[in-house]
Every structure is written in structure tokens, then in C-alpha cells.
Amino acid sequence: MRSYLIAGNWKMHTTPADAKTLASAIAEKQMFLKPPHSVQTLICPPYTSIGAALEAVAGKGILVGAQDCHSEAKGAFTGEIAPNMVKACGCSHVILGHSERRQYFGETNSLLNQKIRAVLNEGLVPIYCVGETLLERKQEQTIAVVRSQLVDGLKDVVLQSASKLVIAYEPVWAIGTGLAATSDQAQEVHAAIRGFLKEIFGAVGEQILILYGGSLKPENAEELLAKPDVNGGLIGGAALQADSFAAIIAAACKLAVS
Ligand code: PGA
């Protein structure tokens, strides 16, 4: 049976009340889908809505994660949130290195390396995002860019098991544009990422989940998720509606048992 992780990145959307409504609606739809154990679902609200989301999905088989965190455990870092705070709230995962963090907040591979190690130390699962810009793709730099994001971001990272780390391939040109990568484009990069993960981690790299993100929606979910190295999705826009998010979960359920 194939394993999938279907993760919603809510970005800067939802007050606690909105989060409660959305998370409850997703939980209700998921109850009807009855996903097999190999299909996990995760929602990542803004920090201030994590509590409300967790309450809404308690006992309903939906994981909750954060969208970022700081690399230090505590200290004078006004406005920041430490990994242990995210953990103590009840989160299981933390998205790190999303292209919006890289682009608007200047996050570098070396900073992300510190964050990844801090998150792992806390027993949280980082979802480390990589992906090329349109210019880099046009210049045929995609594989080189993704390779250096992985090699630098995962430097000196020690993994106890494959389940401790998730990678998300998100071509920057596909995020929020409605223009997803084709399933062949995605598979090509995912296969390259699989190879790099095996170089970095050895046999463990074979089992690490690699999610696709960038305009993933009900219309293209089944085709993308059917590709051998696509192990789930990181979903922005389509994760903000219970119907569309549930339709993507349904596609994963169908493929997992087929
Ligand atoms: P999108 O966002 O699904 O709206 O393209 C994906 C992401 O940014 O993680």
C-alpha cells in the first residue's frame, strides 16, 4: 500500500474562529472518507489559530503543524516562536523554507539548516521546502538549485528514521498561480530529489516522503499523486476550502488502496 501525506498550508489566513470552522468541516468530510492508515492528513494554520484547529480535530485523525519557527530554543527574539513552543501546543510538523519565507524574509539554506536541526531535536517533523524559480527553470538550473537546497539545508542532519523528515518540492512558478507542474515535470524532479536523499542519508532516503506543492487541486491531484516519487501534497489555495481539500485526500485514498 502506498503512503501519502496530504498537508494544507493555510498561510496567513484564518482567525481562530475561521480555523475552527474550516478544521471542523475538513474533519467531517474526512470521517466519510475513512482514509487508510497509510494516508495521513495535516493542516498548518497560522500560529494564533493552531489551538483552535487542534481543538476542532481532536481525536479525528488529523495532524496539526506550524508554518515556521525559530532555530533557537528561547531568548530575546521579539516576535518569534521556538520549536518547543510549537511542540507544546500539540503540533507534529513544521513547514520550513517555504519559498515565501525565502523570498520575502530572506531565509537562506544555512539558516534553514539550523531550523531543521532545531525542529528535529524537538521531535517535530520538518517539512523542508525546495524548488526553483521560473528563471532558474528556463536556465535549466532546476536540478542544481534543488540539489544545493537539499545538500546545504540538510548538512549534518542525522535522521533516526525516514518518518522524521518530509521534503516538499514546490516550483516557485507554480505556487498560487493556478499553473501546476505537469505530472512528468514533477516526477522528474522528485526522482532527482529521491537520488539526492539517498546520497545524503543512504537507504533511509528511499522512504522519505516527498510532497508536491504548487497549484495542486482536485482536478490534477490524482495524476500528480499517481507518480511513483510523489508521496503527497503541500496545498495552499485548495486547502482553504474543505471540499477541495477533501477531494485531494480522496484522490490519495483511492491511489493508496489501488
Ligand atoms: P498553492 O500553494 O497550492 O496555493 O499553489 C502551495 C504552497 O504555497 O504551499
Side-chain angles (χ1 to χ4, degrees), residues 7-11 95 98-100 129 168 170-172 174-180 212-217 233-240:
N9 173 11
W10 292 5
K11 307 195 181 185
I95 300 171
H98 189 280
S99 69
E100 287 149 18
C129 303
E170 297 206 306
V172 179
I175 296 175
T177 59
L179 181 79
Y212 169 78
S215 299
L216 186 58
K217 48 196 168 203
L234 183 56
I235 300 131
L240 292 172

Side-chain angles (χ1 to χ4, degrees), residues 226-242:
K227 290 292 177 182
D229 289 297
V230 178
N231 313 117
L234 183 56
I235 300 131
L240 292 172
Q241 303 289 335

Side-chain angles (χ1 to χ4, degrees), residues 182-250:
T182 65
S183 56
D184 288 341
Q185 283 173 323
Q187 171 56 28
E188 185 191 358
V189 184
H190 280 234
I193 291 173
R194 177 74 62 214
F196 299 142
L197 292 174
K198 285 196 270 187
E199 256 176 51
I200 298 169
F201 296 115
V204 164
E206 186 73 62
Q207 304 298 329
I208 293 172
L209 298 182
I210 308 173
L211 315 184
Y212 169 78
S215 299
L216 186 58
K217 48 196 168 203
E219 295 76 21
N220 58 21
E222 195 171 333
E223 194 185 334
L224 281 156
L225 295 174
K227 290 292 177 182
D229 289 297
V230 178
N231 313 117
L234 183 56
I235 300 131
L240 292 172
Q241 303 289 335
D243 279 343
S244 47
F245 192 60
I248 297 171
I249 298 169

Side-chain angles (χ1 to χ4, degrees), residues 96 109-121 124-126 128 149-162 164-167 196-197 199-202 204-205 208:
L96 291 174
N109 292 334
S110 78
L111 172 74
L112 293 166
N113 177 251
Q114 292 173 33
K115 290 191 178 195
I116 290 168
R117 288 191 284 158
V119 159
L120 282 167
N121 275 339
L124 291 157
V125 179
Y128 179 46
Q149 289 169 332
L150 290 170
V151 170
D152 297 347
L154 298 174
K155 189 164 181 275
D156 298 330
V157 166
V158 180
L159 277 192
Q160 315 287 2
S161 72
K164 303 289 181 197
L165 174 70
V166 175
I167 302 296
F196 299 142
L197 292 174
E199 256 176 51
I200 298 169
F201 296 115
V204 164
I208 293 172

Side-chain angles (χ1 to χ4, degrees), residues 47 68-73 77 80-83 96 114-115 118-119:
Y47 294 127
D68 185 29
C69 68
H70 198 269
S71 58
E72 296 291 325
F77 301 103
E80 290 296 315
I81 302 284
L96 291 174
Q114 292 173 33
K115 290 191 178 195
V119 159

Side-chain angles (χ1 to χ4, degrees), residues 24-64:
S24 305
I26 290 169
E28 195 168 314
K29 298 212 170 282
Q30 168 148 316
M31 248 170 37
F32 288 102
L33 290 172
K34 294 193 180 63
H37 285 303
S38 67
V39 177
Q40 280 193 310
T41 55
L42 169 73
I43 52 177
C44 300
Y47 294 127
T48 45
S49 290
I50 285 173
L54 269 161
E55 234 172 77
V57 301
K60 295 185 174 154
I62 296 176
L63 300 166
V64 177

